[in-house]
């Protein structure tokens, strides 16, 4: 019986192609929006998480200096910021920690090459573990060691874009002056980018110098330093944070002039933020589906009024009110379901196209089709047909046989 209902529904709707097409279009727009926007939101979150996960993700803990909120009068009893002694006594011997680095981003500076060209670039200073923890791959040369950092060696590593601007890509062995420091390029970074993983510097247009080398010309560098550690497992974060907090409070005489950030909690917040964005997108797209549902109801009411005589004849031949109701409900669901299928298909196709286009500019983009959104769009589309088709179907089923035939 259901196949007979479908056959009649398709025949009736096909006989009014233009009117049916407009109604289908309204449902298509809503389903298309749900799938496309949800897929882009999930792709953005996946790309962001992938960039952070490459560094350690939820296992990262960042400690940086901040103005104190209590015991401010004790600040004169120690050196503000983070000193080498702080690093050696607080961070160097932490249990459950597999990697660590101290670094600081010093914003954009003018870099002048020994061959004459100059360019603006992000200046970053770090210790011997900086390049390793941040997973900054080298295309040429090598990174500087902790011994070179402590020995204040005049060496540096340049990003791919900076090397192209200053030396046409052949940077090894050249000298560069930046922020008052003249250093020799011993390494060139690969052309890698991490979308959304923002640590205060450009991943490809950057110059990395030893921390202690730059501290010679910038004594206040200790106020800018960030201490980043990677734990063995995210479950160890709480214990490591407690140890850091106790040691720093002892070193800084109870002054809370530092902040500890747990990336496990930050990632949870990011996921929550993206979930809210998806809900907002779904709500906006749901309005389009609601408008489409009203269009379905309007078309079905018109269809009932046009087919009153047909309904009367079918009832006279033995069709029950339930049969009539089922027929018109089937037509409404075919309308909305067709719109949902077209919208979902076009949304998936557009999400794939968007992934290809975005990857031209951001090769690290992770393309994802939001499967939950696909299922939701289809279910809601068919549900809209059922809900908004119910009233016209009941109206058709309640028509009186004699009056229907007369009309």
């Amino acid at each position: 019986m259901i196949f007979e209902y479908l056959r009649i529904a398709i025949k009736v709707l096909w006989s009014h192609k233009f009117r049916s097409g407009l109604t289908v279009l309204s449902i298509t727009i809503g389903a298309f929006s749900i799938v496309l926007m949800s897929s882009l939101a999930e792709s953005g979150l996946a790309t962001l998480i992938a960039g952070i996960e490459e560094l350690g993700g939820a296992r990262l803990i960042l400690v940086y200096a901040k103005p104190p909120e209590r015991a401010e009068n004790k600040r004169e009893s120690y050196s503000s910021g983070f000193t080498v002694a702080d690093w050696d006594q607080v961070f160097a011997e932490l249990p459950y920690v597999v990697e660590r680095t101290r670094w600081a981003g010093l914003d954009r500076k003018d870099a002048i090459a020994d061959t004459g060209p100059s360019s603006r670039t992000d200046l970053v200073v770090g210790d011997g573990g900086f390049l390793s923890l941040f997973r900054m791959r080298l295309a040429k040369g090598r990174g500087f060691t902790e011994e070179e950092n402590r020995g204040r060696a005049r060496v540096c590593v340049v990003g791919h874009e900076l090397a192209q601007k200053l030396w046409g890509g052949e940077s090894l062995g050249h000298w560069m002056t930046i922020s008052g420091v003249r250093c020799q390029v011993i390494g060139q970074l690969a052309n890698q980018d991490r979308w959304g993983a923002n640590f205060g510097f450009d991943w490809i247009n950057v110059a990395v110098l030893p921390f202690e080398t730059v501290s010679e010309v910038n004594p206040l560098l200790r106020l800018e330093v960030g201490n980043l550690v990677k734990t063995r497992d995210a479950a160890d974060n709480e214990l490591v944070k407690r140890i850091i907090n106790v040691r720093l409070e002892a070193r800084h005489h109870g002054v809370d002039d530092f902040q500890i950030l747990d990336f496990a909690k930050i990632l949870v917040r990011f996921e929550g933020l993206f979930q809210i964005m998806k809900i907002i997108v779904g709500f906006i797209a749901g309005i389009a589906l609601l408008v489409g549902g009203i269009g379905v109801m309007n078309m079905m009411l018109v269809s009932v009024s046009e087919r009153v005589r047909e309904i009367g004849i079918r009832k006279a031949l033995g069709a029950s009110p339930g049969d009539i109701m089922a027929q018109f409900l089937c037509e409404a669901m075919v309308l909305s379901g067709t719109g949902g299928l077209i919208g979902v298909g076009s949304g998936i196709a557009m999400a794939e196209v968007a992934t290809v286009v975005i990857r031209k500019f951001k090769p690290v983009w992770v393309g994802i089709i939001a499967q939950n959104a696909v299922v939701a769009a289809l279910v809601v589309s068919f549900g809209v047909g059922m809900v908004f088709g119910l009233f016209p179907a009941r109206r058709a089923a309640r028509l009186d046989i004699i009056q229907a035939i007369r009309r």
Side-chain angles (χ1 to χ4, degrees), residues 1-17 19-21 24 299-300 303 307 310 314 323-338 382:
M1 183 63 72
I2 185 65
F3 294 106
E4 183 64 19
Y5 290 152
L6 286 172
R7 185 188 66 80
I8 296 173
I10 293 172
K11 181 179 179 181
V12 170
L13 296 175
W14 187 254
S15 65
H16 299 88
K17 293 186 286 292
R19 187 170 68 188
S20 300
V24 166
M299 179 177 173
M300 295 310 301
S303 180
R307 296 160 63 190
E310 173 196 329
R314 290 185 64 184
D323 294 330
I324 301 298
M325 186 172 181
Q327 178 61 56
F328 280 89
L329 268 179
C330 184
E331 291 179 17
M333 292 181 67
V334 167
L335 266 177
S336 60
T338 301
F382 281 99

Side-chain angles (χ1 to χ4, degrees), residues 277-321:
M277 290 174 58
K278 287 173 63 178
I279 291 172
I280 294 173
V281 168
F283 178 75
I284 295 173
I287 295 175
L289 285 174
L290 178 64
V291 173
I294 296 172
V296 170
M297 179 185 287
N298 180 64
M299 179 177 173
M300 295 310 301
L301 286 172
V302 172
S303 180
V304 169
S305 66
E306 291 177 343
R307 296 160 63 190
V308 170
R309 186 175 178 82
E310 173 196 329
I311 295 169
I313 293 173
R314 290 185 64 184
K315 283 191 172 184
L317 293 175
S320 66

Side-chain angles (χ1 to χ4, degrees), residues 204-259:
I204 58 176
N205 185 16
V206 63
V208 185
L209 275 69
F211 190 97
E212 299 301 328
T213 301
V214 178
S215 67
E216 282 188 323
V217 297
N218 186 356
L220 298 179
L221 189 57
R222 65 179 186 275
L223 301 176
E224 307 289 336
V225 67
N227 305 282
L228 190 64
V229 300
K230 183 193 298 183
T231 61
R232 182 184 57 187
D233 187 272
D236 300 322
N237 285 17
E238 285 299 325
L239 178 58
V240 173
K241 286 191 297 181
R242 289 195 190 106
I243 295 173
I244 292 174
N245 187 73
V246 170
R247 289 182 178 181
L248 279 177
E249 284 202 338
R251 290 270 316 158
H252 291 197
H253 307 293
V255 179
D256 59 334
D257 61 342
F258 58 90
Q259 181 75 35

Side-chain angles (χ1 to χ4, degrees), residues 115-302:
T115 54
S118 63
S119 179
R120 297 280 290 178
T121 188
D122 286 341
L123 173 60
V124 178
V125 295
D127 62 7
F130 175 80
L131 296 179
S132 174
L133 193 150
F134 277 87
R135 299 296 185 266
M136 302 181 80
R137 297 189 297 272
L138 288 162
K140 302 175 183 178
R142 65 176 181 86
F144 51 83
T145 64
E146 180 60 17
E147 289 72 22
E148 288 174 315
N149 172 51
R150 296 292 178 114
R152 300 182 176 181
R154 302 282 172 162
V155 294
C156 58
V157 175
V158 297
H160 172 80
E161 185 176 316
L162 180 61
Q164 293 291 333
K165 290 180 177 179
L166 296 185
W167 301 286
E170 298 298 328
S171 60
L172 294 187
H174 284 281
W175 289 79
M176 174 181 70
T177 302
I178 183 170
S179 193
V181 177
R182 188 169 185 266
C183 57
Q184 186 178 28
V185 179
I186 60 172
Q188 180 176 319
L189 297 173
N191 185 13
Q192 66 177 114
D193 193 9
R194 292 187 180 94
W195 181 84
N198 185 3
F199 285 86
F201 59 87
D202 192 322
W203 291 94
I204 58 176
N205 185 16
V206 63
V208 185
L209 275 69
F211 190 97
E212 299 301 328
T213 301
V214 178
S215 67
E216 282 188 323
V217 297
N218 186 356
L220 298 179
L221 189 57
R222 65 179 186 275
L223 301 176
E224 307 289 336
V225 67
N227 305 282
L228 190 64
V229 300
K230 183 193 298 183
T231 61
R232 182 184 57 187
D233 187 272
D236 300 322
N237 285 17
E238 285 299 325
L239 178 58
V240 173
K241 286 191 297 181
R242 289 195 190 106
I243 295 173
I244 292 174
N245 187 73
V246 170
R247 289 182 178 181
L248 279 177
E249 284 202 338
R251 290 270 316 158
H252 291 197
H253 307 293
V255 179
D256 59 334
D257 61 342
F258 58 90
Q259 181 75 35
I260 303 177
L261 290 182
D262 186 346
F263 274 68
K265 296 181 179 179
I266 293 176
L267 289 176
V268 170
R269 291 174 186 169
F270 269 123
E271 291 177 359
L273 176 62
F274 273 85
Q275 289 299 325
I276 292 173
M277 290 174 58
K278 287 173 63 178
I279 291 172
I280 294 173
V281 168
F283 178 75
I284 295 173
I287 295 175
L289 285 174
L290 178 64
V291 173
I294 296 172
V296 170
M297 179 185 287
N298 180 64
M299 179 177 173
M300 295 310 301
L301 286 172
V302 172

